[in-house]
Amino acid sequence: MKVLTLAELQQLPATVGLLTAARALGLGRTKAYELAKKGEFPCRIIRVGVAYLVPTAELLKLLGVDLPASNRHA
């Protein structure tokens, strides 16, 4: 998987799918799902049915990226 750039990260919506978060963290698909199922993904995940969502602000904080005020979501 291609790693996301800073510009791409800053344009993300309030939540992203597990695979988008995995790309940002440099994780492969299999490893991301393995960690999510064990509750060991590097940042908080939200499970909705069979889908895993990751709060973008928490992902960016983990990566040490600060969102501009205009891109922050409550």
Side-chain angles (χ1 to χ4, degrees), residues 18 21-22 25-27 31-32 35-36 39-45 54 58-59 62-63:
L18 184 68
L25 296 169
L27 299 172
K31 185 66 173 179
L35 292 172
E40 298 175 359
F41 199 74
C43 58
R44 187 168 66 101
I45 59 173
V54 177
E58 291 186 25
L59 173 62
L62 178 68
L63 294 169

Side-chain angles (χ1 to χ4, degrees), residues 42-74:
C43 58
R44 187 168 66 101
I45 59 173
I46 303 164
R47 186 167 182 182
V48 180
V50 296
Y52 293 100
L53 299 175
V54 177
T56 303
E58 291 186 25
L59 173 62
L60 294 175
K61 184 177 178 182
L62 178 68
L63 294 169
V65 175
D66 188 33
L67 272 177
S70 62
N71 286 11
R72 290 187 185 137
H73 300 282

